């Protein structure tokens, strides 16, 4: 009885010692390797800054528009003036005809045309509906949006004034229908200015964490395979004899490093660029835990398949584009085909991005992201088991190779003796 | 070296390169599998052009025949699906935080009574700006719905008082905006995104493969042999090595064009030639940038890191999602350094708008201009190929 307890205690003690040995060893590997340092530190440091900088202006201001005024009346000039006064649109010129305006589009001096027909003013004075045509270069959807929203806003405002002007409370009967029968208001509940950075950057930040982990850990794995005897993932060394020790020891290294990275990526950068931060810090912390575990264990599993240190970059970099779209932040989740939705569930980034942006931008609690949270823990569990399987296999493989080589050498020695 | 001898050497190196490409599966993956995955993914993801049936919550405080009619009509919009009806705004808001709905349509109590008696009940709608695309599509539908609701009531009361429809509409909405999105009248997102994302993937893979192809020569110390096959001329050696890659990537790029403009019938107002030329030049200029990268950082892993980072950032800085004109002036200048940016501008001029070739010549010239890069770095690269010791 005593003996067994002694043994168990010994195993735990040795296991812990080995875990810390591996932890320290892996930490050394990380800091020794510029390639890994690039992905663990430089990319998470620079990329969030770069992306925030690119999208920092949030919305398009002063999109260039040209006017073709065939009406040339007070009302058309007033409309033009008001569109020019909106923050989103700038009128860069008035052209005599459409051909001239199209030429300005061709020369990229403007991206939209506002056309007033010749009877624009006449119609309005006669109480008929008048039409203003808006032509838009579709190279950027945000220009189209800016033009459309500004022109619509001006048309509604001027319409209201015209109604009051046309019949200054003349007939009570007409009044009831002239004034808006049903007014409406629209409210953007979260990301209230519909900003581009606030929409896309939080998702990118989360994705950067996963992708850099995959690349960095993959590179460490590939390096180990290149360096170690028998091209094995696990070095031939007393401390690397147990699967759990290796998986725990290594994942602890990555986890500790990424706590630092997360603080920069998710706390400092959003503050620097005043991105939305409605989330409760504790909720974010609790949410990030399974996300990091999931990413780390998945990367460790994938690293088992990397035979050279450079292959992760060739294989995984392009997936970032796909993963961003599959996460459902730009292309809505409701419209993603079932097959790709299923593929998305293979990666922690999918529930990670969904959950994080809702916590961060809409102030959701863990209860509201319960589905994503559960998926993340399940992923972390599955990838943990799979990375253990990978390492177990590698340990057995290298042991078998050692034995094989030992036997081979023995045979050789015997053969030499025979001579 | 005579001209003929150079050609012969190029041919020999190209044969050697074809053998390398054929024996290492990673090339097969990067040049064919990855582009195939991307085209299948993006084309199938956006095959509907616009997201359909986006879920909204309706808070119906009125629960009258009119309000139910409104909800039915809203549901009938192609982009909108009424996911749930509720009497509580906070419940709808929670559903929004759960990600189940992207918008909320609010109908106040006594809506029907007030609307018919001219008391102007207000409709409100809320969108979740966290999901920008879904929010703007739902905004459009819910706004149209609100305008229509007002028009319906206006028409009803107006006609009851004996006015004609034209008179009433002239009063209800004196000025209407008639929009004409040039080139993409359906506001098709597949047209809008895939025309740039897919060439972006090609650019990224060309960067990586170019750097990898030259970098592995250094890493596995085969660079001297390669260079000597080229008669110690870096130009001949590079030409021979990159030629097979150029051919494969150009074929892949043309396949992309076939998928987009042939199979997908995306707008191609310029005809095929300008776009195929642009695709070919995109491949060439990306290779030139790739040579520059490995020349500047002649270590495989650093070169590849450079290629990855540069390739990924181009998706954002190219300005097809957020226009370059809206970015900081520094970034506007930097955007010129990405071949994809010029490809995008060519696409906008040619395929999308069918403009005169004259307006686009500058962009073609830019793409050709990238071909100067290898000459700038050639000396450095040659030194690396001859002397560099691979340090892991």
């Amino acid at each position: 009885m005593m003996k067994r307890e002694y043994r168990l205690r010994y195993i735990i003690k040795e296991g812990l010692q080995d875990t810390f040995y591996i932890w320290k060893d892996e930490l050394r590997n990380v800091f020794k390797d510029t390639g890994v340092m690039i992905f663990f530190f430089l990319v998470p440091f620079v990329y969030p800054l770069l992306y925030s900088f690119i999208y920092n202006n949030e919305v398009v201001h002063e999109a260039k528009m040209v006017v073709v005024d065939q009406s040339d009346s007070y009302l058309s000039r007033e409309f033009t003036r008001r569109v020019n006064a909106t923050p989103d649109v700038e009128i860069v010129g008035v052209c005599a005809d459409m051909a001239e305006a199209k030429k300005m589009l061709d020369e990229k001096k403007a991206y939209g045309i506002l056309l007033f027909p010749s009877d624009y003013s006449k119609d309005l004075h006669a109480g008929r509906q008048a039409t203003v045509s808006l032509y838009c270069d579709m190279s950027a959807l945000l220009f189209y949006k800016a033009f459309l929203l500004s022109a619509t806003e001006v048309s509604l405002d001027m319409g209201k004034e015209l109604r009051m002007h046309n019949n200054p409370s003349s007939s009570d009967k007409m009044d009831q229908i002239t004034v808006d029968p049903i007014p409406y208001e629209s409210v953007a509940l979260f990301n209230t200015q519909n900003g581009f950075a606030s929409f896309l950057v939080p998702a990118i930040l989360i994705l950067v964490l996963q992708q850099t982990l995959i690349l960095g850990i993959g590179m460490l794995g590939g390096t180990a395979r290149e360096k170690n005897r028998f091209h094995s993932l696990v070095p031939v060394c007393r401390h690397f004899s147990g699967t759990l020790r290796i998986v725990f020891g290594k994942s602890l290294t990555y986890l500790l490093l990424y706590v630092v990275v997360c603080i920069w990526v998710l706390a400092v950068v959003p503050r620097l660029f005043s991105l939305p931060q409605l989330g409760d810090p504790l909720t974010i912390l609790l949410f990030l835990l399974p996300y990091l575990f999931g990413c780390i264990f998945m990367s460790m599993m994938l690293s088992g398949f990397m035979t050279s240190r450079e292959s992760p970059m060739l294989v995984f970099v392009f997936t970032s584009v796909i993963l961003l779209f599959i996460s459902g932040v730009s292309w809505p989740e409701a419209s993603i085909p079932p097959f790709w939705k299923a593929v998305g569930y293979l990666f922690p980034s999918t529930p990670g991005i969904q959950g994080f942006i809702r916590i961060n931008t809409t102030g959701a609690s863990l209860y509201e992201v319960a589905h994503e949270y559960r998926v993340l823990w399940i992923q972390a569990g599955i990838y943990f088991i799979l990375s253990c399987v990978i390492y177990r296999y590698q340990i057995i493989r290298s042991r078998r190779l050692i034995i094989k080589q030992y036997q081979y050498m023995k045979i050789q020695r015997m053969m030499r003796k025979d001579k | 070296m005579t001209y003929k001898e150079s050609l012969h050497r190029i041919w020999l190196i190209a044969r050697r390169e074809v053998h390398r490409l054929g024996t290492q599966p990673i090339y097969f993956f990067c040049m064919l599998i990855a582009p195939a995955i991307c085209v299948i993914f993006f084309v199938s993801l956006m095959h509907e052009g616009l997201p359909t049936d986006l879920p909204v919550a309706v808070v119906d405080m009125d629960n009258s025949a009119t309000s139910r009619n409104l909800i039915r009509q809203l549901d009938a919009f192609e982009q909108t699906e009424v996911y749930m009806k509720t009497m509580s705004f906070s419940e709808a808001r929670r559903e929004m935080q759960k990600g189940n709905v992207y918008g909320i349509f609010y109908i106040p109590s006594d809506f029907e009574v007030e609307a018919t008696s001219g008391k102007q009940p207000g409709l409100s709608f809320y969108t979740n700006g966290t999901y920008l695309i879904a929010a703007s599509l739902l905004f459009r539908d819910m706004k149209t719905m609100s305008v229509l609701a007002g028009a319906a009531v206006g028409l009803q009361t107006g006609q009851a008082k004996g006015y004609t429809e034209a008179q009433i509409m002239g009063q209800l909405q004196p000025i209407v905006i008639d929009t004409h999105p040039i080139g993409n009248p359906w506001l098709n997102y597949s047209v809008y995104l895939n025309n740039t994302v897919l060439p972006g993937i090609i650019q990224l893979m060309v960067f990586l493969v170019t750097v990898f192809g030259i970098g592995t020569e250094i890493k596995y110390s085969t660079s001297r042999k390669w260079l000597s096959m080229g008669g110690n001329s870096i130009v001949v050696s590079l030409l021979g090595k990159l030629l097979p890659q150029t051919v494969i990537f150009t074929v892949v790029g043309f396949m992309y064009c076939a998928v987009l403009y042939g199979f997908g019938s995306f707008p191609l107002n310029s005809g095929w030639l300008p776009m195929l030329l642009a695709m070919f030049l995109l491949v060439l200029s990306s290779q030139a940038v790739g040579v520059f990268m490995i020349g500047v950082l002649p270590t495989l892993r650093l070169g590849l890191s450079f290629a990855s980072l540069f390739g990924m950032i181009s998706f954002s800085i190219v300005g097809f999602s957020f226009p370059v004109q809206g970015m900081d002036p520094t970034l506007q200048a930097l955007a010129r350094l990405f071949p994809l940016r010029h490809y995008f501008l060519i696409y906008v001029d040619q395929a999308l708008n069918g403009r005169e070739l004259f307006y686009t010549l500058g962009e073609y010239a830019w793409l050709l201009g990238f071909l100067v890069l290898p000459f700038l770095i050639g000396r450095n690269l040659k030194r690396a190929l001859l002397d560099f010791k691979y340090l892991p």
Side-chain angles (χ1 to χ4, degrees), chain A residues 176-177 179-183, chain B residues 62 64 66-67 70 107-123 146 149-158 161:
Chain A
Q176 284 190 4
I177 48 169
V179 226
D180 262 345
I182 300 175
Chain B
D62 189 38
S64 62
T66 312
S67 75
L70 268 184
I107 306 172
S109 52
D110 297 328
F111 175 78
E112 187 180 52
V113 180
E114 287 184 5
T116 43
S117 59
K119 279 187 186 150
Q120 289 187 306
L123 287 171
S146 311
V153 173
L155 266 177
Q156 217 174 3
T157 42
K161 290 180 175 109

Side-chain angles (χ1 to χ4, degrees), chain A residues 39 43 46-48 50-51 54-55 200 203-204 207-208 211-212 215 312-325, chain B residues 38 42 196-197 199-208 289 293 303-321 327 338-340:
Chain A
F39 286 110
V43 175
V46 175
Y47 252 46
L50 213 49
Y51 278 112
I54 288 178
Y55 297 124
L200 200 56
I204 291 177
L207 187 61
V208 162
Q211 296 302 89
T212 52
L215 292 171
M313 279 186 271
L314 294 162
V315 177
F316 293 117
V317 168
F318 83 96
T319 60
S320 306
V321 193
I322 290 180
L323 290 179
L324 190 65
F325 274 91
Chain B
C38 290
F42 281 107
T196 320
V197 170
I201 297 284
I202 294 217
Q203 182 194 257
L204 174 70
M205 297 326 279
V206 173
F207 285 165
L208 289 171
V289 175
M293 287 167 172
L304 277 179
S305 308
F306 188 11
S308 318
L309 305 185
F310 202 74
M312 283 312 296
I313 209 79
S314 64
F315 286 98
S316 298
I317 207 165
V318 127
F320 68 96
S321 51
M327 293 178 198
F338 294 78
L340 189 62

Side-chain angles (χ1 to χ4, degrees), chain A residues 183-225:
Chain A
Y184 59 85
E185 59 161 352
S186 87
V187 183
L189 267 185
F190 309 106
N191 180 13
T192 44
Q193 57 163 343
N194 280 322
F196 213 83
S198 308
F199 144 71
L200 200 56
V201 172
I204 291 177
L205 297 180
I206 289 290
L207 187 61
V208 162
L209 295 178
Q210 174 188 292
Q211 296 302 89
T212 52
L213 273 168
I214 291 183
L215 292 171
I217 295 177
M219 200 179 242
L220 285 166
T223 312
R225 294 283 286 263

Side-chain angles (χ1 to χ4, degrees), chain A residues 35-207:
Chain A
V36 177
M37 291 289 279
I38 287 178
F39 286 110
F40 277 0
F41 293 106
L42 188 70
V43 175
F45 182 79
V46 175
Y47 252 46
L49 291 178
L50 213 49
Y51 278 112
S52 308
F53 187 40
I54 288 178
Y55 297 124
N56 191 31
N57 288 350
E58 295 273 14
V59 288
V60 172
H61 289 297
E62 304 290 351
K64 289 174 186 156
M65 184 187 238
V66 60
V67 171
V68 178
D69 194 350
Q70 291 167 348
S71 156
D72 196 26
S73 56
Y74 167 74
L75 283 176
S76 66
R77 282 190 297 270
E78 177 63 13
F79 194 104
T80 307
R81 195 191 62 73
R82 290 199 191 184
V83 170
N84 197 16
T86 61
D88 295 353
V89 179
E90 183 195 356
I91 305 285
V92 289
V94 180
C95 292
D97 54 22
M98 278 300 279
E100 198 185 322
K102 282 229 167 84
K103 190 156 178 284
M104 285 193 71
L105 253 59
D106 287 345
E107 289 165 354
K108 286 93 179 172
K109 286 176 182 159
Y111 294 89
I113 306 172
L114 200 61
L115 170 69
F116 295 97
S118 50
D119 39 10
Y120 168 76
S121 178
K122 208 164 49 182
D123 277 345
L124 284 179
H125 284 302
R128 284 190 298 266
Q129 205 168 36
T131 307
V132 179
S133 296
L134 170 69
Y135 296 82
C136 186
D137 182 313
M138 291 308 289
S139 59
L141 225 47
L142 287 187
F143 284 155
Y144 168 76
K145 205 171 146 190
F147 293 143
L148 183 58
L149 289 182
S150 303
T152 308
E153 195 186 300
V154 172
S155 79
L156 292 177
D157 285 353
M158 277 187 74
K160 211 173 275 175
E161 288 164 33
L162 278 167
R163 278 191 299 251
M164 293 195 278
H165 180 77
N166 276 1
N167 27 336
S169 64
S170 54
S171 68
D172 298 342
K173 276 187 245 163
M174 205 61 183
D175 246 10
Q176 284 190 4
I177 48 169
T178 55
V179 226
D180 262 345
I182 300 175
Y184 59 85
E185 59 161 352
S186 87
V187 183
L189 267 185
F190 309 106
N191 180 13
T192 44
Q193 57 163 343
N194 280 322
F196 213 83
S198 308
F199 144 71
L200 200 56
V201 172
I204 291 177
L205 297 180
I206 289 290
L207 187 61

Side-chain angles (χ1 to χ4, degrees), chain B residues 124-168:
Chain B
S124 315
F125 48 90
Y126 303 80
T127 48
N128 186 354
T130 316
Y131 303 91
L132 206 56
I133 292 179
S136 45
L137 289 171
L138 286 177
F139 170 83
R140 198 176 68 178
D141 278 2
M142 292 198 285
K143 199 186 121 180
T144 312
M145 192 63 243
S146 311
V147 172
L148 284 179
V153 173
L155 266 177
Q156 217 174 3
T157 42
Q159 275 166 342
K161 290 180 175 109
Y163 293 98
T164 66
E165 193 176 325
Q167 273 176 318
I168 299 162

Side-chain angles (χ1 to χ4, degrees), chain B residues 25-305:
Chain B
I26 192 84
Y27 284 112
F28 183 67
F29 181 85
C30 290
M31 301 174 96
L32 298 174
I33 302 292
I37 293 174
C38 290
V39 75
I40 293 170
F41 173 75
F42 281 107
V43 170
S44 66
L45 179 73
M46 302 182 202
H47 68 103
E48 282 170 325
L50 275 174
T52 51
D53 291 331
L54 297 171
V56 293
V58 176
V59 180
D60 184 3
M61 305 299 280
D62 189 38
N63 205 11
S64 62
T66 312
S67 75
R68 281 194 297 273
N69 191 26
L70 268 184
I71 296 169
R72 250 196 318 278
Q73 285 182 48
L74 186 65
D75 199 25
F77 278 96
E78 209 187 334
Q79 259 86 58
T80 308
E81 186 195 78
V82 175
Y83 171 83
M84 61 175 294
K85 278 183 271 187
T86 169
M87 296 280 279
S88 141
F89 185 78
S90 54
E91 191 192 339
R93 192 189 146 103
R94 203 154 45 242
E95 285 301 310
M96 196 186 249
Q97 286 180 320
K98 281 186 187 171
N100 291 335
V101 298
Y102 300 112
I104 302 171
F105 195 75
Y106 181 86
I107 306 172
S109 52
D110 297 328
F111 175 78
E112 187 180 52
V113 180
E114 287 184 5
T116 43
S117 59
K119 279 187 186 150
Q120 289 187 306
L123 287 171
S124 315
F125 48 90
Y126 303 80
T127 48
N128 186 354
T130 316
Y131 303 91
L132 206 56
I133 292 179
S136 45
L137 289 171
L138 286 177
F139 170 83
R140 198 176 68 178
D141 278 2
M142 292 198 285
K143 199 186 121 180
T144 312
M145 192 63 243
S146 311
V147 172
L148 284 179
V153 173
L155 266 177
Q156 217 174 3
T157 42
Q159 275 166 342
K161 290 180 175 109
Y163 293 98
T164 66
E165 193 176 325
Q167 273 176 318
I168 299 162
M169 288 320 285
Q171 287 302 314
L172 273 173
Q173 203 184 354
I175 309 171
V176 277
I177 306 283
D178 178 26
T179 51
H180 305 266
I182 306 168
N184 185 2
W186 329 272
L187 303 180
N188 186 318
Y189 268 84
S190 192
V191 170
Y192 170 60
L193 291 172
N194 284 339
N195 269 307
T196 320
V197 170
L198 290 176
I201 297 284
I202 294 217
Q203 182 194 257
L204 174 70
M205 297 326 279
V206 173
F207 285 165
L208 289 171
V209 169
T210 309
V211 171
F212 184 74
I214 299 171
T216 40
E217 301 271 7
I218 301 174
K219 180 173 172 181
Y220 297 109
S221 319
T222 51
S223 52
R224 277 167 199 243
K225 186 163 173 270
W226 167 42
L227 211 54
S228 70
M229 276 182 85
N232 256 336
S233 154
I234 186 86
V235 178
V236 170
S237 305
L238 276 178
L239 278 178
K241 185 163 184 65
L242 295 181
L243 202 64
Q245 300 180 5
T246 315
V247 172
I248 295 175
F249 275 121
T250 306
V251 170
V252 171
F254 285 3
M255 298 285 263
Y256 270 15
C257 289
V259 168
L260 295 178
Y261 306 120
F263 167 75
S265 315
F266 286 6
L268 183 65
N269 293 314
S270 58
W272 286 88
L273 204 60
M275 289 318 291
L276 292 181
L277 179 64
M279 184 56 88
F280 175 61
L281 289 178
L282 177 72
V283 171
L284 276 190
S285 55
S286 305
Q287 284 186 307
V289 175
V291 171
F292 186 77
M293 287 167 172
I294 188 74
V296 174
L297 296 169
T299 319
L300 183 52
R301 62 169 185 280
L302 295 183
L304 277 179
S305 308

